[in-house]
Amino acid sequence: MENSTKTEVFSWIKSLLAVVVLVIICRQFLFTPVTVNGGSMSPTFHHNDRVMVMKMSEIEHSDMIVFEAPTSSDKHIKRVIGMPGDRLRVHNDQLYINDVLVEEPYLDKNKESSPFALTEDFEVEVPEDCLFVMGDNRLHSGDSRMYGFVPEEDVFGEVKIRFYPFSGVGIP
């Protein structure tokens, strides 16, 4: 009886170690949880929302990414507006990427509640290996309009799912 108990305990220990190693590998190379700080992505995300970031993802226009902020060691969450080589222009609160008008439905709630234009007029070309990012709460967002382009190498990954609060669980 004692030998079978030892075998059972050893089997459980091996299984638990395998799970721990798998979790560490997944967290290091595939995905990681991140907590939203501040309101720059409101109403898409709110302060203290918890999201899962996929580290191995191909970034595209309108993706929400987590990156190391150029102005501090904080992680920021913003929306990708411009990719390398893009010509961006905002005129009368309308975004044009390479002279094509782009709809931004994620701004609708903020536009309804503001008597002001959300985004000032500007024009910029995104350099190679960089991204241009902005928060959805354009009137209250520190983003590429203030601190410049985000090097692609500073991107941790793409936000894939919100898992807290439970009432907001899902794909943003």
Side-chain angles (χ1 to χ4, degrees):
M1 194 108 167
E2 208 173 282
N3 194 20
S4 101
T5 303
K6 285 182 182 179
T7 304
E8 183 71 23
V9 168
F10 185 67
S11 174
W12 274 99
I13 290 172
K14 285 192 320 186
S15 296
L16 287 173
L17 283 174
V19 167
V20 168
V21 168
L22 185 62
V23 166
I24 290 171
I25 289 171
C26 286
R27 186 173 171 139
Q28 186 67 29
F29 299 106
L30 298 178
F31 56 85
T32 189
V34 173
T35 301
V36 176
N37 290 313
S40 69
M41 284 297 291
S42 178
T44 307
F45 296 120
H46 300 285
H47 184 67
N48 284 332
D49 280 3
R50 308 278 194 306
V51 297
M52 191 62 66
V53 175
M54 180 67 76
K55 291 184 174 186
M56 300 180 77
S57 182
E58 188 172 324
I59 305 300
E60 299 176 352
H61 290 104
S62 295
D63 286 346
M64 290 163 290
I65 61 168
V66 174
F67 58 95
E68 188 170 327
T71 56
S72 68
S73 61
D74 295 337
K75 292 179 182 171
H76 283 193
I77 297 177
K78 304 290 182 204
R79 191 176 296 275
V80 175
I81 302 301
M83 303 288 293
D86 282 346
R87 285 184 332 277
L88 305 176
R89 180 170 59 95
V90 172
H91 181 71
N92 292 332
D93 225 8
Q94 299 292 311
L95 172 65
Y96 296 85
I97 299 176
N98 300 320
D99 296 322
V100 176
L101 178 63
V102 176
E103 297 297 321
E104 296 181 285
Y106 43 85
L107 297 180
D108 289 348
K109 282 187 181 178
N110 287 336
K111 284 183 178 182
E112 290 171 7
S113 64
S114 176
F116 308 107
L118 298 182
T119 313
E120 69 283 353
D121 291 355
F122 69 88
E123 196 166 330
V124 67
E125 186 166 332
V126 183
E128 290 302 313
D129 302 321
C130 290
L131 302 170
F132 189 91
V133 299
M134 288 195 285
D136 290 356
N137 189 0
R138 301 270 169 89
L139 292 174
H140 304 284
S141 176
D143 51 39
S144 287
R145 296 171 294 167
M146 294 179 172
Y147 51 64
F149 303 104
V150 174
E152 288 179 312
E153 64 191 25
D154 290 349
V155 175
F156 288 103
E158 179 187 358
V159 175
K160 288 294 190 179
I161 191 167
R162 176 184 13 239
F163 63 91
Y164 184 84
F166 298 122
S167 61
V169 169
I171 298 170

